[in-house]
Amino acid sequence: MTFEDFDLDGGVLDSIESMGYKSPTPIQEQAIPVILAGHDLIACAQTGTGKTAAFVLPLLDKILQTPSGGINTLILVPTRELAMQIDQQIEAMSYFVDVSSMAVYGGGSGANWNQQKQALSKGADIIIATPGRLIAQMQMGGLDFSYLETLVLDEADRMLDMGFYEDLIRIISQLPKERQTLCFSATMPPKIRQLTAQILRNPVQINIAISKPATGIKQLAYLAFDQQKLALTASILKEGDYKSVIIFSSTKEKVKKLERELQRIGIAAKAFHSDLEQEAREQLMYAFKAKRVSVLVGTDVLSRGIDVEGIELVLNYDVPPDPEDYVHRIGRTARAAKTGTAITFINELDQREFSFIEKLIGRSIEKMPLPIELGPAPEYHPQKRPPNGPTQKKNRKFKKPSK
Ligand code: AMP
């Protein structure tokens, strides 16, 4: 199948060609015709599957067919990084056509707030927003959704995990009832079903590769005590000569500490966390994309939707607290059919938790021997319950989605 088969606008097809997309991914194959036909949609798909283009491409085509004269499409997302990234993707995909978009998200300076307010009053065809900031802007008035044709909820499960349910309902109550609604979510817990039952009409359902990481990812693990992890990281980075690496840890505090420890042993790592000013976060992400920073350390916030080409290694410094987060973390590498490596460190307390990940992805992950100079690794007893529960549980940042 090719993109020509969808009968999309010629300018949109030109953008697809210039972006180097040869053929649609499975989610695109299934979702694009449904969206073009005007149906509501529930799509179970993770980042890395090409889901952004799956809704942006047909929506661009629809806006070009029938411009609505005001804000046509609202895309709600959990984080400002995802809002910025989708905005950038829309910019690329609409390069040859006349469609405007803007991102509305929290953080940043007062100037940022005013800029967003001004831009909003002028309007844009597509607005990508985080719920909290959008409500704040809506309260200030001057936002006219009466021309809205389409609402997209992206990473809906994460929005609910982050406590945005009430905000979503509040926003949606102020949108026209006659509209097309598309809901994308990596998981489908009951609360997503409940939400979609409320706001979608006769939706078509699409299910893409539930919790299976892309096949191009080489997955490995090391059994290691916490005190062995730093030296092990140094050894892996040296051996692999990686140019672009993300290291995940479970909490902001651990991320900051790890940045200091890595720098102390001569690895120029940079920490990405919510205490950084908006501008610093943007600059850091930009430097990472441009490969001027080669090692980024972050929490699971970073694992959602960050789209950086050519990440060669994802290193889980600890086992992610939620098995679904593992899939999201390692999905940062091997984007859209490229290859990459994902390595996880498993200490003596997280072995059972790691076995749940293996169960979720349906395969066992190879455990590599520690370099001899690091001494003996913990013994492997995945069935054994740790004395006080897994080490990460108490640090769980978001509520575990109910399955
Ligand atoms: P997403 O799941 O939207 O985060 O997209 C993951 C990555 O796949 C992004 O880097 C996209 O640019 C890329 N991508 C999306 N669709 C295609 C396609 N049809 N062919 C090749 N790459 C794609």
Side-chain angles (χ1 to χ4, degrees):
M1 183 166 209
T2 69
F3 282 104
E4 271 82 23
D5 297 331
F6 296 126
D7 199 21
L8 291 165
D9 176 273
V12 175
L13 287 175
D14 288 345
S15 311
I16 294 172
E17 200 186 333
S18 73
M19 291 174 74
Y21 296 178
K22 299 277 179 293
S23 53
T25 64
I27 180 81
Q28 292 161 5
E29 258 182 42
Q30 294 188 46
I32 291 175
V34 171
I35 298 172
L36 287 174
H39 298 295
D40 282 7
L41 173 70
I42 303 179
C44 191
Q46 309 150 12
T47 49
T49 53
K51 70 178 169 61
T52 314
F55 61 83
V56 170
L57 295 171
L59 292 180
L60 287 176
D61 183 86
K62 294 187 82 168
I63 293 170
L64 291 163
Q65 300 285 331
T66 43
S68 65
I71 299 167
N72 178 292
T73 297
L74 173 63
I75 303 173
L76 293 172
V77 299
T79 62
R80 52 185 158 186
E81 279 75 28
L82 187 56
M84 284 157 60
Q85 187 190 300
I86 293 180
D87 190 32
Q88 284 162 8
Q89 290 213 33
I90 293 177
E91 224 167 86
M93 290 179 208
S94 61
Y95 189 78
F96 296 103
V97 295
D98 186 19
V99 173
S100 57
S101 66
M102 74 165 297
V104 176
Y105 47 83
S109 58
N112 186 13
W113 162 269
N114 284 330
Q115 250 173 21
Q116 290 182 1
K117 188 163 176 271
Q118 259 180 18
L120 277 175
S121 66
K122 285 201 198 103
D125 295 306
I126 305 176
I127 287 181
I128 312 106
T130 52
R133 175 54 72 100
L134 186 69
I135 287 194
Q137 290 282 10
M138 283 165 89
Q139 280 166 346
M140 300 297 291
L143 248 173
D144 181 4
F145 282 120
S146 56
Y147 294 96
L148 191 101
E149 306 256 341
T150 312
L151 167 69
V152 182
L153 305 180
D154 195 16
E155 308 217 341
D157 53 348
R158 186 59 91 175
M159 284 200 276
L160 297 194
D161 283 347
M162 289 170 78
F164 282 137
Y165 185 87
E166 301 298 329
D167 285 353
L168 289 178
I169 295 296
R170 208 161 136 198
I171 293 168
I172 295 168
S173 71
Q174 298 187 38
L175 304 179
K177 301 243 167 332
E178 276 302 315
R179 57 160 202 267
Q180 184 177 21
T181 307
L182 315 173
C183 175
F184 288 79
S185 190
T187 56
M188 284 292 157
K191 53 191 179 176
I192 292 281
R193 300 260 165 230
Q194 189 192 330
L195 176 74
T196 53
Q198 256 175 295
I199 63 167
L200 272 67
R201 281 196 294 200
N202 303 324
V204 174
Q205 302 208 12
I206 295 178
N207 222 330
I208 296 290
I210 331 123
S211 303
K212 293 277 185 291
T215 48
I217 307 175
K218 185 167 150 204
Q219 299 175 66
L220 303 169
Y222 286 86
L223 299 167
F225 292 106
D226 284 347
Q227 58 273 24
Q228 293 172 315
K229 289 178 174 178
L230 190 64
L232 181 56
T233 307
S235 147
I236 290 169
L237 293 186
K238 194 165 160 222
E239 184 118 323
D241 190 25
Y242 298 103
K243 305 279 177 298
S244 192
V245 178
I246 292 189
I247 303 180
F248 284 109
S249 191
S250 50
T251 66
K252 198 159 56 185
E253 286 64 39
K254 285 190 183 177
V255 163
K256 290 182 190 170
K257 182 163 169 249
L258 189 53
E259 177 192 45
R260 286 195 300 274
E261 289 177 343
L262 287 167
Q263 288 180 352
R264 199 168 345 109
I265 59 166
I267 298 170
K270 292 278 185 196
F272 184 95
H273 50 75
S274 53
D275 284 353
L276 291 179
E277 291 291 327
Q278 171 67 14
E279 208 178 311
R281 288 169 72 152
E282 281 171 31
Q283 274 173 5
L284 181 51
M285 194 45 73
Y286 190 71
F288 184 61
K289 280 188 179 178
K291 309 280 182 272
R292 280 187 279 111
V293 166
S294 59
V295 180
L296 203 62
V297 190
T299 63
D300 283 297
V301 171
L302 195 60
S303 76
R304 289 276 174 160
I306 293 304
D307 184 23
V308 177
E309 291 278 323
I311 296 173
E312 296 166 332
L313 172 68
V314 167
L315 203 159
N316 294 315
Y317 207 75
D318 32 47
V319 174
D322 186 329
E324 289 282 349
D325 282 331
Y326 175 82
V327 179
H328 283 288
R329 286 183 181 190
I330 73 166
R332 296 314 94 211
T333 181
R335 311 281 288 156
K338 298 212 181 70
T339 54
T341 304
I343 296 177
T344 305
F345 294 168
I346 313 166
N347 69 11
E348 68 285 13
L349 300 174
D350 287 341
Q351 297 184 0
R352 193 158 178 266
E353 198 76 354
F354 193 71
S355 72
F356 297 146
I357 291 173
E358 293 180 313
K359 208 165 152 203
L360 177 82
I361 63 172
R363 51 171 282 208
S364 133
I365 292 167
E366 190 181 354
K367 317 288 178 306
M368 304 293 287
L370 277 186
I372 207 117
E373 63 277 14
L374 296 187
E379 283 181 28
Y380 188 47
H381 297 295
Q383 279 80 32
K384 214 164 115 188
R385 277 175 191 275
N388 300 313
T391 51
Q392 309 302 321
K393 268 268 165 48
K394 51 185 175 293
N395 295 324
R396 209 188 274 292
K397 192 166 172 56
F398 301 112
K399 269 201 338 260
K400 187 182 170 75
S402 42
K403 299 266 146 51

